[in-house]
Amino acid sequence: MNGDLLQGFYLALAPTSILATALGALHGLICGMMPGLTTSAGIIILFPVTFILEPTTAVALLLGVFAGGMTGGSFAAILINIPGSPSASATTMDGFPLTQKGEAGRALGVSIVSSFTGGLFSFFCLLLIAPQLTKVALQFRAADLFGLVFFGMSVISAFAAKSLVKGLLSTFLGLMIVTVGMDPLVGTARFTFGDANMLAGIHFIAALVGLFAIPEIVANLAEGNIRSVASKFGRVFPSWEDIKKIRLPVAIGSIVGTFVGILPGAGGPIAVFVSYDYAQKISKEPEQFGKGCVEGVAAPESANSSIAGGALIPMMTLGIPGDPITAILIGALLVHGMAPGPLLFVEQGPFAFSVLFSYFIAICSTATVAFLGLRLIVKLLTIPRSLLLPIIVALCVLGTYALRNSFFDIYVMFFFGLVALSFKWLDIPVVPMLLALVLGRQLEEHMRVALAASKGDVSIFFTSPWCLVFLCLSVVSFTWPFFLEWRVKKKALKKAAEPSSA
Amino acid sequence: MGPRNIVGGVVIFGLTLYYGGLATLLPKRTTTDAPGPHFFPYLITISILALSAMLIFQGVRGLKGSNGLADLRPERPSSNENFSIARAAAGLLLTGLYFFALSLFGFFWSTPVFFGALMWVTGERRPLVLLGLAIAVPMFLFFLFRDLFQLPLPRGSYFG
């Protein structure tokens, strides 16, 4: 393992990898910053380029976008009061008031330093936890793996939706789509309607591009242009006094963000608001929050960057994506013949560790590129959407077509774009469907292999300790929304009773 | 959300019935003890039928459904002064036509037309900028991906 770790470190330090990470970070900062151009869209845009790169370089490039996107989201939040990504929503609350006070540079500097520190914390967690978790995961048998995948899906169905029914519907519709093509065990053609394109199944990257890019394009088309950006923002690097002030909020944000990042589907916005809330509670001047204080920028920014490292833990060790971005990263790895999971550390140890170290380099590159290029990067906020949108569509086409040189995949992309728009209309989340598309085949395969091993006896899922643990956790995640609702109702009743008793 | 839930629930219910019907045509037995190819689709059919029935029920009764952690998330703020559904619909239609045109005329010929049309829809009215960018940017992408990255680009059945 130590030899793999060292080799992975050297692979990540290769000049091409470092250059790819830095370019990825720059691209990520820009995409994260532009409202409507999320980090997911940034990765999708670069996807075709990764086909011609070595796996290590390709992953380094995408990790650069991931880390850069998380930091870039705050730039627009601070400068124009529109978060570049949903995870940067909390940053607007104190970031923009600082800009209005003429301290935009101070807010941006604090945001970059906090993002860097949060990312660094999550990297060390990733480095410490991932190899240990891999050892445990290697003991899993088919029934345990079924339990694990089922747990991942249950968490995302319960947490990513406003309604549990809609979350589950999204998951099961995703599973329905996964059954199109060859049966994973016996190779029977299912639901192919005699079409040769359907035999290979629906390529999940084509579906993913449609699910995420098309709704973004439509939303941007509806919103139209344009904003003005503060042209002067003074000193950017934070003062020693500011660094002392943000120590505790950054620590809180880093811990909360890493923990939330590990949970599939819990997502960035939750982590940033929880961190902001805690930072306000422990502050000596809580009344300053919302009026432009650096602690209010530091807590959410460190949380939002540490989510990335947290999300990489289940992705690398268990093959379960924590969010849409890690789902796309899994797709990128699969295209290069590398399946994330415990076996990756055994069979491709140096590569697996190079991914971890590339994330570290991505964090460092992001901070460096952000400090050096900030004044130029924020100027791009004025690029009109009329030019950006056709470029995004064209790049989506190029990326999707390059998967299998097939127009079928382009039509699949458009179909899933329409599905995503219908889901939006029905308030059904797309993330559970995405996870089902990524993990559905594994779920079916593990379930059927376990049942074959037990000669059709379903008790195998309840007698295996690991599987039982995962199934119990799934029950907890299904009941959690009901518990939350009960707690909110109880609080509301208590609040309503208070004035009458007074 | 009530009527939408009913419409959505009915559509999904109908689609799932069709899917379940197709699943009954799949082979039931295999040479091993493993459940056959029909097994997983059956489970999916039963689950979706139950869930879509619940969605219809929620819609009919006007129930909100239980709230998950998602409710803690803020709505995406947007600058709504310029908001236009017509522009979004036109853009979506153009995108669909572009995808169809790709199979006929290929990337090289279809993309400049699409660029020009979408830029016009999004508000660009200066003829020189419109024409210049609609030709220059797709050409740049074409040569970048074909010659530098050496990736296959969509070729049409008429031109390519």
Side-chain angles (χ1 to χ4, degrees):
Chain A
M1 190 72 99
N2 282 340
D4 289 348
L5 193 135
L6 272 177
Q7 280 188 50
F9 183 64
Y10 289 130
L11 275 175
L13 278 182
T16 46
S17 294
I18 293 178
L19 183 67
T21 318
L23 289 174
L26 176 65
H27 178 77
L29 282 166
I30 294 167
C31 291
M33 177 186 69
M34 309 287 271
L37 241 189
T38 55
T39 312
S40 317
I43 292 186
I44 289 168
I45 288 169
L46 273 191
F47 207 73
V49 180
T50 64
F51 295 161
I52 56 157
L53 299 174
E54 289 290 313
T56 324
T57 320
V59 173
L61 179 76
L62 297 181
L63 284 172
V65 184
F66 193 5
M70 288 300 187
T71 304
S74 65
F75 292 0
I78 290 167
L79 291 172
I80 55 173
N81 203 23
I82 299 173
S85 61
S87 301
S89 316
T91 312
T92 53
M93 294 198 284
D94 280 281
F96 189 63
L98 277 167
T99 299
Q100 285 175 316
K101 286 185 200 171
E103 296 179 17
R106 188 178 168 215
L108 288 166
V110 165
S111 134
I112 296 168
V113 168
S114 309
S115 291
F116 173 72
T117 319
L120 210 58
F121 176 81
S122 70
F123 163 71
F124 284 118
C125 290
L126 173 68
L127 197 62
L128 286 175
I129 297 171
Q132 307 310 323
L133 201 58
T134 302
K135 283 179 195 161
V136 177
L138 281 170
Q139 298 167 9
F140 291 170
R141 294 180 177 183
D144 308 323
L145 289 168
F146 164 77
L148 175 68
V149 174
F150 185 78
F151 167 60
M153 286 186 177
S154 68
V155 174
I156 218 153
S157 306
F159 285 1
K162 285 182 184 168
S163 144
L164 183 60
V165 171
K166 289 181 178 177
L168 286 170
L169 259 178
S170 178
T171 302
F172 278 102
L173 287 169
L175 291 176
M176 186 195 259
I177 291 156
V178 164
T179 57
V180 173
M182 302 269 271
D183 172 272
L185 290 191
V186 289
T188 309
R190 296 188 297 191
F191 314 107
T192 56
F193 304 98
D195 187 330
N197 287 309
M198 303 274 268
L199 262 182
I202 304 292
H203 201 297
F204 94 87
I205 292 289
L208 185 145
V209 175
L211 285 174
F212 284 90
I214 302 278
E216 292 282 357
I217 290 161
V218 171
N220 277 289
L221 278 165
E223 279 173 12
N225 279 325
I226 257 219
R227 50 207 153 246
S228 60
V229 186
S231 55
K232 288 180 186 171
F233 36 76
R235 175 195 161 128
V236 173
F237 205 83
S239 63
W240 182 240
E241 201 175 309
D242 278 346
I243 287 180
K244 275 201 287 188
K245 263 188 187 173
I246 63 172
R247 276 181 308 187
L248 211 53
V250 165
I252 291 169
S254 305
I255 295 167
V256 172
T258 306
F259 177 71
V260 172
I262 295 172
L263 294 175
I270 294 168
V272 294
F273 278 97
V274 170
S275 313
Y276 185 87
D277 191 41
Y278 274 123
Q280 188 175 19
K281 276 179 184 155
I282 57 139
S283 171
K284 287 175 188 163
E285 300 167 314
E287 70 284 352
Q288 290 302 316
F289 275 69
K291 294 175 186 166
C293 70
V294 284
E295 295 99 312
V297 173
E301 274 312 301
S302 54
N304 125 34
S305 282
S306 54
I307 287 164
L312 285 173
I313 294 173
M315 181 200 120
M316 288 303 293
T317 57
L318 307 171
I320 291 190
D323 59 9
I325 302 169
T326 40
I328 304 170
L329 286 175
I330 287 185
L333 288 172
L334 288 174
V335 165
H336 285 279
M338 308 279 185
L343 282 178
L344 189 69
F345 281 86
V346 177
E347 292 166 358
Q348 303 278 348
F351 173 76
F353 280 104
S354 82
V355 175
L356 309 193
F357 286 112
S358 290
Y359 175 61
F360 170 72
I361 292 170
I363 302 159
C364 300
S365 305
T366 299
T368 314
V369 173
F371 271 123
L372 293 178
L374 185 68
R375 286 165 210 278
L376 280 177
I377 291 169
V378 294
K379 284 206 164 57
L380 296 174
L381 272 171
T382 52
I383 288 185
R385 288 181 189 184
S386 53
L387 180 61
L388 270 180
L389 293 179
I391 295 178
I392 296 171
V393 175
L395 290 173
C396 287
V397 163
L398 292 172
T400 308
Y401 184 80
L403 290 170
R404 300 190 280 205
N405 298 350
S406 159
F407 283 109
F408 176 73
D409 286 333
I410 294 178
Y411 301 141
V412 164
M413 171 181 71
F414 190 59
F415 169 77
F416 276 92
L418 298 179
V419 167
L421 290 171
S422 321
F423 273 24
K424 205 170 183 181
W425 185 71
L426 289 166
D427 207 16
I428 295 178
V430 292
V431 179
M433 176 180 262
L434 169 66
L435 200 71
L437 291 171
V438 178
L439 298 174
R441 270 182 102 75
Q442 286 183 45
L443 185 80
E444 180 180 9
E445 208 173 319
H446 295 317
M447 182 172 66
R448 285 170 62 187
V449 168
L451 283 172
S454 69
K455 300 199 184 317
D457 183 5
V458 287
S459 68
I460 190 167
F461 298 116
F462 306 102
T463 47
S464 159
W466 279 115
C467 185
L468 196 61
V469 167
F470 290 130
L471 292 180
C472 289
L473 287 172
S474 307
V475 172
V476 171
S477 55
F478 284 136
T479 47
W480 184 252
F482 295 101
F483 169 72
L484 267 185
E485 195 178 9
W486 171 78
R487 222 175 59 169
V488 169
K489 272 185 187 165
K490 201 177 147 190
K491 262 187 186 171
L493 280 175
K494 209 174 155 186
K495 225 174 184 178
E498 267 171 11
S500 58
S501 62
Chain B
M1 197 44 76
R4 290 187 191 185
N5 282 351
I6 298 170
V7 173
V10 169
V11 170
I12 295 170
F13 195 90
L15 275 174
T16 310
L17 276 181
Y18 178 61
Y19 172 82
L22 291 176
T24 58
L25 305 174
L26 292 169
K28 303 279 183 302
R29 294 195 177 277
T30 60
T31 47
T32 65
D33 287 325
H38 69 290
F39 180 70
F40 200 56
Y42 273 15
L43 284 182
I44 293 169
T45 305
I46 294 164
S47 308
I48 301 183
L49 286 179
L51 287 165
S52 50
M54 283 163 80
L55 192 65
I56 296 168
F57 178 75
Q58 284 184 352
V60 171
R61 297 288 303 269
L63 297 175
K64 257 183 73 188
S66 62
N67 292 327
L69 278 176
D71 275 0
L72 296 173
R73 303 174 190 192
E75 288 293 314
R76 178 183 162 183
S78 61
S79 46
N80 268 344
E81 296 141 21
N82 278 331
F83 194 87
S84 162
I85 285 285
R87 192 168 52 226
L92 186 65
L93 186 71
L94 269 177
T95 308
L97 285 173
Y98 169 56
F99 291 162
F100 178 67
L102 278 169
S103 61
L104 300 176
F105 307 110
F107 185 86
F108 188 84
W109 297 106
S110 315
T111 309
V113 179
F114 169 70
F115 259 66
L118 198 64
M119 284 175 73
W120 191 85
V121 165
T122 45
E124 183 55 68
R125 293 289 186 273
R126 293 166 292 178
L128 268 181
V129 176
L130 199 71
L131 204 67
L133 289 175
I135 293 171
V137 181
M139 288 306 106
F140 172 73
L141 290 175
F142 179 82
F143 289 113
L144 180 76
F145 279 83
R146 195 191 65 168
D147 297 335
L148 189 67
F149 297 156
Q150 304 205 321
L151 281 173
L153 299 181
R155 295 173 73 95
S157 26
Y158 296 125
F159 304 100

